[in-house]
Amino acid sequence: MSAPESRHKTDTTIYAKRGDAPELVPVTPGGNEVGGGSEQYQTREDLEKALNKSKESEIELRKIIDTIPTLAWCNLPDGSNEFLNQRWHDYTGLSPQEAQGWGWKVTIHPEDLGKLLDKWWALLASGEPGEIEARLRRHDGEYRWFLFRVEPLRDEFGKIVRWYGTNTDIDDLKRVESLLSTEKRTLEMIASGASLAEILQSLCNAIDAQARGAISSILLMDSDGKRLWPAAGNRVPGTYVEAIAPVSIGPCVGSCGTAAFLKKRVIVSDIASDPLWVNYREVALSHGLGAAWSQPLISKDNEVLGTFCLYYSEARTPSDSDLKLIEEAGHIALIAIERKRAQDELRRSEAYLAEAQSLSHTGSFGWRVSTGELVWSEETHRIVGSEPGTKPTLELLFKRIHPEDLVFVQETIDRATREGSDLDFDHRLVVPDSFVKHVHVVAHAVKDEAGRLEFVGAVSDVTAAKIAEEKIRRNEMEARQIIDAIPQTIVVLNPEGRAIYANQVMLEYTGLSMEEVRSDNFRARTFHPEDVEKLREARQNALSGGIPFENEQRALGKDGKYRWFLIRYNPLLDEDGKIVRWYATGTDIDDRKRAEKRTQNENIALREEIERSSMFEEIVGSSDVLRRVLAQVSKVAPTDSTVLILGETGTGKELIARAVHNRSKRASRAFIRVNCAAIAPSLIASELFGHEKGSFTGALQRRLGRFEAADAGTLFLDEVGELPAETQVALLRVLQEREFERVGGNETVSVDVRVLAATNKDLSAAVTEGRFRRDLFYRLNVFPIEVPALRERADDIPLLVEYLIDRYAQKTGKRIKNISKKTLDLFQAYDWPGNIRELQNVIERAVIVCDGETFSMDETWLTRVDRKSPVPTIPLIAHLVDSEKEMIESALRDAAGVIGGPSGAAAKLGIPRQTLESKIKKLGINRYRFKIP
């Protein structure tokens, strides 16, 4: 960094600019005598010339020192300063008067001044050259490390007449040395097993000591990749950490959250004004933080592992050396995180490997052929029957090999070492106590850099498997006889799923021989390629799971045609619960599949026709209010939450319900709609929950309700506010417990139905007035969606008009190309009390009467209706009570006063007997007057 030119000038500079030399004084060469004779003095002229020449040389020398690119100075023999060059004054900002003598000491860092003076006094005493490192204050108040070098100047008698010195800036070098030391310390801590938190805190301590005035911090990325958690930096205020943790990453989340999101360094020189800190500014400033520089810690796989951050108490712009420091510190932190994780992962892997070998009864080994050196894992020692501390040798191994297998094993090993080939063979071991083990050996032959052969492999104890195989072999003949007698295709598989036997029915169907069944390409030859590929992973996972499973596949017959088969897989287990065989039985379902396909195609065609003819095939509009509703639909659709759709009549509540269903996991299942207001209160329970045969007059057979029809699908309850109180109770039970009883039945029916409800009424008011159950309202109101009225989305009217005109024009066979501006203005200005339904009716009417290619409409068709305040509901309630009383009395009259039983009044009304008795009591009805004497 270059300093501005000092306003101060050195004594030499001032002296050099004077016009006149100082007056010359005669000098006595002989000591203290002062005489007047010319023989005692040089001539005045010669003396003046010599003195002027000396002064000119000194001035020239000091001018040169002022211009050299370093800080230079000259001290007197007693150590006090005589001269400091111009660059020194420019760097420190001190004037010659302020720095002369011992005034220069104010520029030395207080922590370094004592040791600098001690060194200086020692050099003055010894008269030897020397050097020392200390921090020198720059004109802007910042201290930087300098190397102070000094050399004595002696006269011809060896006496010191001056001390000349230079100051060299080594601040960057000191930082590099400190970073290297920090990196070395980090690696040592990793090797010694220190925790990651200790390692990162040590790094922060080192950076804090090096970066003056800085507070370092390290955050680590959460496993979700979306949040940062504090990991090190104990100088960061604890309350600040509590306020921000965890830090969510994003494009405007302070320095660290933004750096992690952008994957690049983020420098915020002034937290008080930077927009990245808008959400955290107050908490940062309240904790004395003025600047924040953050470096993301990015792995070689481009994964963000965390951030390294430097905070400063005041606003500050980083220098090049500051940027280098944060980059190097981040590099060290990244090394620590990656190496520590790799070390921990290695330890876990070793532990997992040892556990896996123990569980799988498989040991590992290494054998260097040239030296005979063997290395065994603990599990290998256990399999061979030796203690883990025993040195493994070939002699020990051959002593354990079964005598009948010894020659075979020796020949196999000799051939592999001679040819450099891999090993893969079975043999027996005789371990102590004369116990015989069956082992399977596999090894890979490799060569080191010198070309020496080594084997790296594994040995597995397969004794249990061998015993099981022998037992299976003994039972195979009997099993095959039974299998051949079964009139289904049967294939026997080994535990890995490879075919080892097929019954006669399978052989006759495929035309394959037993050898072809056992070949590697049996599945590829027998089953349809699409089914083989589609079911490959699922089949393999199911085989590994060890529990029965089934799938449907197309098998190729000897006639060259594929037929569908339902294949059921059942495992055969030994006494230890291990799979020894799989039995796959195939049932021909080709006829059923073809019938299903026909039905499916018919359903698809029917559904497409319904969708094509439906007015609400799609939601039309792009207004902000509609976009908000669609955003709600997108969020709630994938869940199974109950949705309550609110809005005026004709706003398209059913369309929203269908959108929720079509975007849900139940989209392929049924969408059942029930208009609760269109069904008589006495029949709504039967409609929703079904009824048993004879439960009421006219119930000639069992009928399934809408809930059962919608099982695994969606049930849409339109105008849910019109449900009778008894049905509200039953609906609440279904929502809570997913079960109900049919009317007149005792059997509990369980269903998996997602319920969507809609109403144009104020359910909150109905709850307050006691007309709607509060607990049911809360169950339905899990996720409310308010559908806007058409007047609230006037921007969508042009799109809706165009859509509806095109639809009805196609139906009527007309060609309408234009819409009159007057008509469109009328549409947008109109209040639309009937919402989209009214708009649809008006456009359909206008299209019918339209004779040309321009769409227009009669203004009188739009009737403005004044919106009135809701009328009191008391008369309606009274009317409902009277109607309910009349219905009950009519039912009692038909049942001759009998309440219960299949022909009683309760069955006729489709409500429980207890409910009817409660209503009779509540309404003051005398049921005995209907009795027939």
Side-chain angles (χ1 to χ4, degrees):
M1 175 181 286
S2 60
E5 183 179 357
S6 175
R7 56 187 172 83
H8 307 298
K9 302 296 181 181
T10 64
D11 292 338
T12 302
T13 307
I14 296 171
Y15 181 75
K17 292 184 178 181
R18 291 177 182 170
D20 301 320
E23 182 181 356
L24 298 178
V25 180
V27 179
T28 303
N32 296 327
E33 295 183 9
V34 179
S38 61
E39 68 279 2
Q40 295 178 342
Y41 299 94
Q42 298 175 344
T43 64
R44 181 178 180 84
E45 183 179 353
D46 292 341
L47 185 59
E48 287 181 349
K49 288 181 179 179
L51 188 57
N52 286 338
K53 186 175 182 180
S54 175
K55 290 291 186 180
E56 290 173 357
S57 297
E58 182 177 357
I59 292 171
E60 186 65 26
L61 176 60
R62 293 195 177 189
K63 289 173 65 177
I64 292 172
I65 293 175
D66 274 341
T67 59
I68 62 175
T70 190
L71 310 185
W73 41 270
C74 174
N75 281 7
L76 296 173
D78 65 355
S80 62
N81 179 258
E82 178 188 26
F83 166 74
L84 294 158
N85 75 342
Q86 188 64 37
R87 286 187 179 272
W88 192 96
H89 289 291
D90 291 343
Y91 183 84
T92 63
L94 261 63
S95 67
Q97 293 75 23
E98 293 170 328
Q100 71 180 35
W102 297 93
W104 55 269
K105 292 192 296 181
V106 299
T107 63
I108 306 301
H109 195 285
E111 296 178 3
D112 302 336
L113 181 60
K115 63 180 180 180
L116 178 67
L117 290 177
D118 290 343
K119 180 70 174 181
W120 184 222
W121 298 130
L123 293 177
L124 291 175
S126 66
E128 297 295 327
E131 62 182 37
I132 189 173
E133 296 175 356
R135 285 166 285 184
L136 184 65
R137 188 183 66 197
R138 199 164 59 191
H139 61 86
D140 58 0
E142 181 178 351
Y143 287 95
R144 289 181 64 85
W145 282 98
F146 278 79
L147 176 64
F148 291 68
R149 284 197 179 99
V150 63
E151 292 276 352
L153 175 65
R154 302 177 186 272
D155 61 13
E156 62 270 21
F157 303 108
K159 183 178 179 181
I160 296 176
V161 295
R162 292 286 189 280
W163 289 88
Y164 286 97
T166 60
N167 297 347
T168 304
D169 191 327
I170 60 169
D171 197 75
D172 292 339
L173 179 62
K174 290 284 287 185
R175 285 194 176 188
V176 172
E177 291 177 350
S178 178
L179 286 172
L180 290 175
S181 175
T182 301
E183 183 173 351
K184 180 182 177 183
R185 171 61 179 159
T186 299
L187 295 176
E188 289 174 348
M189 293 182 71
I190 293 174
S192 65
S195 67
L196 182 59
E198 293 173 333
I199 296 170
L200 297 181
Q201 186 56 56
S202 174
L203 171 60
C204 286
N205 294 340
I207 299 302
D208 289 346
Q210 183 178 160
R212 295 174 288 277
I215 300 175
S216 60
S217 168
I218 296 176
L219 305 180
L220 293 183
M221 183 65 75
D222 199 339
S223 57
D224 62 8
K226 298 179 180 178
R227 298 175 295 172
L228 295 166
W229 291 90
N234 53 21
R235 292 186 61 231
V236 180
T239 51
Y240 171 74
V241 173
E242 293 175 1
I244 66 168
V247 178
S248 298
I249 70 170
C252 188
V253 191
S255 298
C256 294
T258 307
F261 179 80
L262 300 178
K263 295 187 177 182
K264 65 180 183 179
R265 182 191 303 153
V266 172
I267 302 298
V268 174
S269 301
D270 188 0
I271 292 176
S273 60
D274 198 291
L276 293 181
W277 282 82
V278 64
N279 296 323
Y280 300 91
R281 181 172 291 121
E282 290 186 7
V283 66
L285 295 177
S286 67
H287 285 86
L289 304 179
W293 315 334
S294 183
Q295 176 79 21
L297 308 179
I298 303 176
S299 70
K300 58 180 178 294
D301 299 325
N302 201 34
E303 177 188 1
V304 178
L305 303 182
T307 60
F308 176 83
C309 185
L310 283 181
Y311 293 103
Y312 286 90
S313 58
E314 298 178 352
R316 172 170 175 163
T317 300
S319 63
D320 291 341
S321 60
D322 291 331
L323 294 177
K324 185 67 175 176
L325 173 64
I326 192 174
E327 181 180 350
E328 292 299 326
H331 175 68
I332 296 173
L334 182 61
I335 291 175
I337 295 169
E338 287 188 323
R339 293 200 177 183
K340 186 62 179 175
R341 288 186 175 181
Q343 187 182 69
D344 293 343
E345 186 62 31
L346 178 60
R347 288 175 179 169
R348 283 195 297 271
S349 297
E350 290 174 347
Y352 292 157
L353 177 60
E355 182 66 17
Q357 288 190 356
S358 175
L359 294 174
S360 63
H361 304 294
T362 301
S364 56
F365 66 87
W367 176 36
R368 179 168 291 179
V369 178
S370 59
T371 62
E373 179 184 359
L374 278 172
V375 178
W376 290 351
S377 68
E378 290 188 8
E379 187 63 18
T380 302
H381 276 288
R382 190 197 66 78
I383 292 173
V384 175
S386 61
E387 293 295 328
T390 305
K391 181 180 180 180
T393 62
L394 289 176
E395 181 181 0
L396 173 61
L397 176 62
F398 288 142
K399 285 183 178 179
R400 293 283 194 267
I401 295 176
H402 195 285
E404 295 177 3
D405 298 341
L406 187 57
V407 174
F408 162 73
V409 173
Q410 185 65 63
E411 290 177 349
T412 302
I413 293 175
D414 289 344
R415 182 170 57 256
T417 56
R418 184 172 59 254
E419 299 175 356
S421 58
D422 294 344
L423 291 169
D424 190 345
F425 63 96
D426 293 341
H427 69 91
R428 290 167 292 176
L429 293 174
V430 182
V431 297
D433 298 332
S434 300
F435 180 72
V436 177
K437 286 184 178 180
H438 293 265
V439 296
H440 178 68
V441 180
V442 291
H444 185 54
V446 296
K447 291 186 178 181
D448 60 15
E449 296 178 354
R452 292 171 296 200
L453 182 64
E454 297 181 15
F455 286 93
V456 178
V459 55
S460 302
D461 184 346
V462 296
T463 305
K466 288 290 185 181
I467 295 173
E469 287 177 6
E470 183 62 29
K471 184 176 181 180
I472 292 172
R473 240 181 253 113
R474 289 194 300 265
N475 298 327
E476 261 187 356
M477 291 305 298
E478 181 181 352
R480 288 179 181 177
Q481 292 175 359
I482 297 173
I483 290 172
D484 283 338
I486 298 174
Q488 284 181 301
T489 61
I490 298 178
V491 178
V492 182
L493 312 172
N494 67 8
E496 290 74 37
R498 181 172 177 176
I500 58 176
Y501 178 78
N503 72 342
Q504 194 62 34
V505 176
M506 183 66 179
L507 296 178
E508 290 177 358
Y509 175 78
T510 60
L512 300 177
S513 65
M514 191 65 71
E515 289 72 20
E516 290 172 322
V517 169
R518 291 171 179 158
S519 63
D520 294 336
N521 64 347
F522 166 68
R523 280 185 52 76
R525 291 182 60 178
T526 305
F527 297 102
H528 197 286
E530 293 179 1
D531 300 338
V532 172
E533 183 62 30
K534 181 176 67 175
L535 299 174
R536 186 190 311 278
E537 185 176 352
R539 177 178 180 272
Q540 199 57 45
N541 292 338
L543 290 171
S544 303
I547 59 176
F549 66 98
E550 63 182 39
N551 56 43
E552 295 179 355
Q553 301 183 61
R554 287 165 287 182
L556 182 64
K558 59 185 178 183
D559 58 357
K561 297 180 181 180
Y562 285 99
R563 291 186 65 84
W564 280 99
F565 281 80
L566 172 63
I567 303 177
R568 292 187 173 92
Y569 296 79
N570 288 283
L572 174 64
L573 309 178
D574 62 13
E575 58 271 16
D576 296 325
K578 294 183 179 180
I579 299 174
V580 292
R581 288 288 185 273
W582 282 95
Y583 289 90
T585 59
T587 303
D588 191 324
I589 59 170
D590 195 73
D591 294 339
R592 191 198 77 189
K593 291 289 287 187
R594 292 178 186 276
E596 288 178 355
K597 186 65 175 177
R598 285 194 300 270
T599 303
Q600 181 181 6
N601 292 337
E602 291 170 359
N603 288 340
I604 291 174
L606 180 60
R607 183 178 298 175
E608 290 176 351
E609 178 62 27
I610 292 172
E611 290 178 354
R612 281 194 298 270
S613 62
S614 171
M615 180 59 247
F616 301 103
E617 178 184 354
E618 57 185 6
I619 300 172
V620 179
S622 60
S623 61
D624 291 341
V625 65
L626 182 60
R627 288 180 184 274
R628 286 194 292 270
V629 171
L630 297 181
Q632 289 180 294
V633 170
S634 298
K635 290 179 180 179
V636 76
T639 72
D640 272 336
S641 298
T642 303
V643 179
L644 180 59
I645 305 170
L646 307 170
E648 298 177 7
T649 181
T651 54
K653 296 186 289 296
E654 181 179 349
L655 183 59
I656 295 297
R658 288 187 180 275
V660 172
H661 171 73
N662 290 337
R663 288 168 173 79
S664 71
K665 294 177 289 185
R666 302 171 182 263
S668 61
R669 307 308 293 264
F671 176 86
I672 304 297
R673 175 186 178 275
V674 179
N675 189 321
C676 302
I679 303 172
S682 60
L683 299 177
I684 187 66
S686 172
E687 185 70 19
L688 291 178
F689 309 115
H691 61 257
E692 296 291 347
K693 179 180 179 181
S695 58
F696 56 87
T697 302
L700 302 179
Q701 61 183 7
R702 171 189 285 183
R703 181 179 183 277
L704 301 184
R706 297 300 182 94
F707 267 98
E708 289 182 82
D711 192 20
T714 303
L715 180 64
F716 174 52
L717 299 178
D718 198 7
E719 301 302 333
V720 71
E722 304 297 332
L723 283 177
E726 298 80 15
T727 310
Q728 292 181 31
V729 176
L731 177 58
L732 177 63
R733 180 188 177 191
V734 177
L735 292 175
Q736 291 182 156
E737 302 174 9
R738 303 289 182 181
E739 60 183 26
F740 61 91
E741 287 90 29
R742 301 186 190 95
V743 174
N746 297 319
E747 180 185 358
T748 299
V749 180
S750 298
V751 290
D752 174 22
V753 176
R754 182 184 190 176
V755 175
L756 308 178
T759 182
N760 59 8
K761 301 294 180 61
D762 185 353
L763 288 188
S764 298
V767 170
T768 303
E769 296 168 5
R771 293 183 291 106
F772 199 87
R773 292 184 64 93
R774 185 180 301 275
D775 46 3
L776 178 58
F777 173 73
Y778 291 145
R779 280 289 178 180
L780 293 174
N781 199 38
V782 174
F783 193 96
I785 296 178
E786 183 79 27
V787 182
L790 185 56
R791 62 181 174 277
E792 297 172 4
R793 41 182 292 215
D795 293 341
D796 290 337
I797 289 178
L799 290 174
L800 285 165
V801 170
E802 183 178 354
Y803 174 83
L804 293 171
I805 290 174
D806 181 68
R807 193 169 191 83
Y808 289 117
Q810 289 183 17
K811 284 186 175 182
T812 57
K814 295 185 178 182
R815 184 181 180 88
I816 299 177
K817 295 182 177 180
N818 306 307
I819 306 173
S820 71
K821 185 177 184 304
K822 179 182 178 182
T823 298
L824 194 58
D825 291 341
L826 283 173
F827 280 162
Q828 289 188 289
Y830 183 51
D831 199 31
W832 296 110
N835 292 293
I836 296 176
R837 185 177 294 121
E838 182 182 2
L839 175 65
Q840 173 186 348
N841 295 337
V842 169
I843 290 177
E844 183 177 9
R845 178 182 178 186
V847 169
I848 292 172
V849 301
C850 183
D851 295 325
E853 293 184 346
T854 300
F855 176 86
S856 61
M857 179 206 66
D858 189 347
E859 184 178 357
T860 60
W861 295 355
L862 302 180
T863 305
R864 301 188 181 275
V865 179
D866 294 334
R867 296 187 171 274
K868 301 178 181 179
S869 301
V871 298
T873 59
I874 295 176
L876 177 60
I877 294 175
H879 177 70
L880 292 175
V881 170
D882 292 339
S883 298
E884 186 178 30
K885 184 175 182 181
E886 290 176 6
M887 292 175 64
I888 293 174
E889 288 179 344
S890 176
L892 287 171
R893 187 177 297 106
D894 293 340
V898 178
I899 295 177
S903 59
K908 294 180 182 295
L909 293 172
I911 60 176
R913 178 179 57 80
Q914 296 86 345
T915 302
L916 180 56
E917 289 176 346
S918 176
K919 286 184 173 294
I920 289 173
K921 183 177 180 181
K922 180 179 178 181
L923 297 173
I925 299 173
N926 181 9
R927 68 186 180 95
Y928 297 103
R929 66 189 178 90
F930 300 102
K931 290 275 188 182
I932 297 176

